Amino acid sequence: MPQGKPLTVPDDGLSTRERRQQPLLMVHTGDGKGKSTAAFGLAIRAWNQGWNVGVFQFVKSAKWRIGEQTVLERLGELHRETGEGGPVEWHKMGAGWSWSRKEGSETDHAVEAAEGWAEVKRRLAEESHDLLVLDEFTYPMEWGWVDVDDVVETLANRPGRQYVVVTGRRAHPRLVEVADLVTEMTKVKHQMDRGQKGQKGIEW
Amino acid sequence: MPQGKPLTVPDDGLSTRERRQQPLLMVHTGDGKGKSTAAFGLAIRAWNQGWNVGVFQFVKSAKWRIGEQTVLERLGELHRETGEGGPVEWHKMGAGWSWSRKEGSETDHAVEAAEGWAEVKRRLAEESHDLLVLDEFTYPMEWGWVDVDDVVETLANRPGRQYVVVTGRRAHPRLVEVADLVTEMTKVKHQMDRGQKGQKGIEW
């Protein structure tokens, strides 16, 4: 709801308009559904505003293609063809990042995750995107594959107007601390508890 | 993650495949962000599977157009033009439902909500859609604008293979009871607490 009224007006010397325009660092965490889905939903909205969207999936086994990737890449194609919306890039770690495809080598997920973060860091410095989705990035942070201090400082001090969404369970407390908007998705009830498996069209 | 393993296998006489194919009734509730965004994300996925998607926004003042509407309607247009994905219909209550536009009459939200539900009920009986998003439908239920027993029984006993997502705060306990998947989005931290207002591209 765009008409939401702030509870307090901070004494930061900014006008409402300037404050409204501050780019956000968002975190979707918790054990429930919808963390990534809501992030890709934001990407769809961003595309519609003509923003440059970059999605980075830090998923060990993301060899499959999810529906959102097909749709967002199709929207990126529409942008190139007709000028509608904005440009879209979608990268995933699972089968090796597209920018560093290594032939025949064994995959070391820790090394791959660190490479992915190094690329995201370069893009943040160059302000390549308006919205960056770092999907399931809480796990490389949890497992020590990337340096938490480096991540937190880089995200907190990113230049310009770059929106960032990080998704995944157990978001690091330091990430939560620097984030502007943190939402926890909690499972209240799930059909898997009844013995039902994931479904095409709903789960991927 | 499609590879999730069920914790228990129910003794319901169904094969894993049959159980997997049971259509779901989903609820996104809680005070946090992402309830509707995640539902529209499911709609995007459904489109990509070639499903027939119907979105019904039960929002009092939905006169504005959100990014997802533009994008999903554009995807529906692509379907008509190229056969990609599935058909999409998007209806909203704000300025009067598109199927019953009344000229010059005062808007009675309670009557409008009841009309919206009657139409959804007809479509469920006719199996018009594969996925129905009933956005912010918890409020007409809470305010007594629609009959809770009727809604719960109709949704629980809907024929065929129709997926339904209901969004909104304070989901009715009876709706939660019959739902297959309930996710609560909880606000951990929100920039509005710091006095920042909604942002174009992020909030709508």
Side-chain angles (χ1 to χ4, degrees):
Chain A
M1 299 290 131
Q3 295 107 327
K5 265 218 159 125
L7 297 174
T8 56
V9 174
D11 184 24
D12 55 10
L14 296 175
S15 70
T16 301
R17 189 183 173 81
E18 285 164 341
R19 204 174 299 116
R20 185 193 280 256
Q21 297 304 327
Q22 285 185 295
L24 301 177
L25 173 57
M26 293 166 276
V27 175
H28 294 175
T29 192
D31 292 339
K33 308 288 294 178
K35 296 185 287 292
S36 298
T37 305
F40 299 139
L42 287 177
I44 297 277
R45 255 182 232 192
W47 175 85
N48 187 54
Q49 297 289 345
W51 290 14
N52 185 313
V53 175
V55 178
F56 303 85
Q57 285 196 289
F58 286 83
V59 188
K60 272 190 302 179
S61 52
K63 288 187 185 171
W64 68 81
R65 197 181 172 75
I66 59 173
E68 286 94 332
Q69 181 179 356
T70 306
V71 172
L72 270 163
E73 290 185 338
R74 181 69 181 91
L75 292 172
E77 207 177 288
L78 264 184
H79 174 73
R80 289 192 300 276
E81 287 165 7
T82 68
E84 290 167 88
V88 176
E89 281 188 48
W90 188 297
H91 300 287
K92 55 191 179 188
M93 188 175 119
W97 297 105
S98 50
W99 59 74
S100 70
R101 193 86 63 191
K102 292 185 193 77
E103 293 292 332
S105 65
E106 278 297 296
T107 313
D108 180 328
H109 296 314
V111 170
E112 266 200 305
E115 279 178 9
W117 166 244
E119 176 69 20
V120 167
K121 199 174 164 178
R122 267 191 298 276
R123 291 179 185 222
L124 285 166
E126 288 166 9
E127 302 180 40
S128 312
H129 303 285
D130 301 301
L131 171 69
L132 298 95
V133 178
L134 309 185
D135 188 40
E136 311 221 27
F137 190 51
T138 57
Y139 306 111
M141 291 180 74
E142 184 178 23
W143 299 329
W145 291 354
V146 295
D147 182 67
V148 170
D149 288 342
D150 179 37
V151 168
V152 167
E153 278 153 35
T154 304
L155 292 179
N157 302 313
R158 68 198 186 283
R161 294 188 36 72
Q162 305 180 80
Y163 289 73
V164 178
V165 195
V166 176
T167 78
R169 296 177 184 208
R170 299 180 298 279
H172 195 284
R174 292 209 51 212
L175 178 65
V176 168
E177 197 187 313
V178 297
D180 302 294
L181 174 58
V182 178
T183 306
E184 179 154 332
M185 276 72 168
T186 312
K187 180 185 84 167
V188 174
K189 188 175 176 185
H190 194 299
Q191 82 279 10
M192 282 204 194
D193 302 338
R194 290 205 326 241
Q196 208 173 341
K197 288 188 170 184
Q199 303 198 2
K200 187 171 158 183
I202 293 298
E203 304 277 336
W204 66 93
Chain B
M1 297 292 130
Q3 295 109 328
K5 267 217 159 128
L7 297 174
T8 55
V9 174
D11 184 24
D12 55 10
L14 295 175
S15 70
T16 302
R17 189 182 175 81
E18 285 165 341
R19 204 174 300 115
R20 182 192 283 256
Q21 297 304 327
Q22 284 186 296
L24 302 177
L25 173 59
M26 293 167 276
V27 175
H28 295 175
T29 191
D31 293 340
K33 309 287 295 178
K35 295 185 287 294
S36 298
T37 306
F40 299 139
L42 286 177
I44 297 278
R45 254 183 231 191
W47 175 86
N48 186 54
Q49 298 289 344
W51 290 13
N52 185 314
V53 175
V55 178
F56 303 85
Q57 285 196 289
F58 286 83
V59 188
K60 273 189 301 180
S61 53
K63 288 189 188 172
W64 68 81
R65 199 183 169 74
I66 59 173
E68 286 95 333
Q69 181 179 356
T70 306
V71 172
L72 270 163
E73 289 186 338
R74 182 69 180 93
L75 292 172
E77 204 177 291
L78 264 185
H79 173 73
R80 288 193 300 277
E81 286 165 7
T82 69
E84 290 168 87
V88 176
E89 281 187 50
W90 189 297
H91 300 286
K92 57 191 178 186
M93 188 175 119
W97 297 106
S98 49
W99 60 73
S100 69
R101 191 87 63 195
K102 292 185 192 76
E103 293 292 333
S105 65
E106 278 296 297
T107 314
D108 180 328
H109 296 313
V111 171
E112 266 201 305
E115 280 178 8
W117 166 245
E119 175 69 20
V120 167
K121 198 174 163 180
R122 267 192 297 278
R123 292 181 184 221
L124 285 166
E126 288 165 8
E127 303 179 40
S128 313
H129 303 285
D130 301 302
L131 172 69
L132 297 94
V133 178
L134 309 186
D135 189 41
E136 311 221 26
F137 189 51
T138 58
Y139 306 112
M141 290 181 73
E142 184 179 22
W143 299 329
W145 292 355
V146 296
D147 182 67
V148 171
D149 288 342
D150 179 38
V151 168
V152 168
E153 277 153 36
T154 303
L155 292 178
N157 302 313
R158 68 200 186 283
R161 295 189 35 70
Q162 305 181 79
Y163 289 72
V164 178
V165 195
V166 176
T167 78
R169 297 177 184 209
R170 301 179 297 279
H172 195 284
R174 290 207 53 210
L175 179 64
V176 169
E177 198 188 314
V178 296
D180 302 295
L181 174 58
V182 179
T183 306
E184 179 153 333
M185 275 72 169
T186 312
K187 180 185 83 167
V188 175
K189 190 176 175 184
H190 195 299
Q191 81 278 9
M192 281 202 196
D193 301 339
R194 291 204 326 240
Q196 207 173 337
K197 286 189 173 186
Q199 302 199 5
K200 187 172 157 182
I202 292 299
E203 305 276 337
W204 66 92

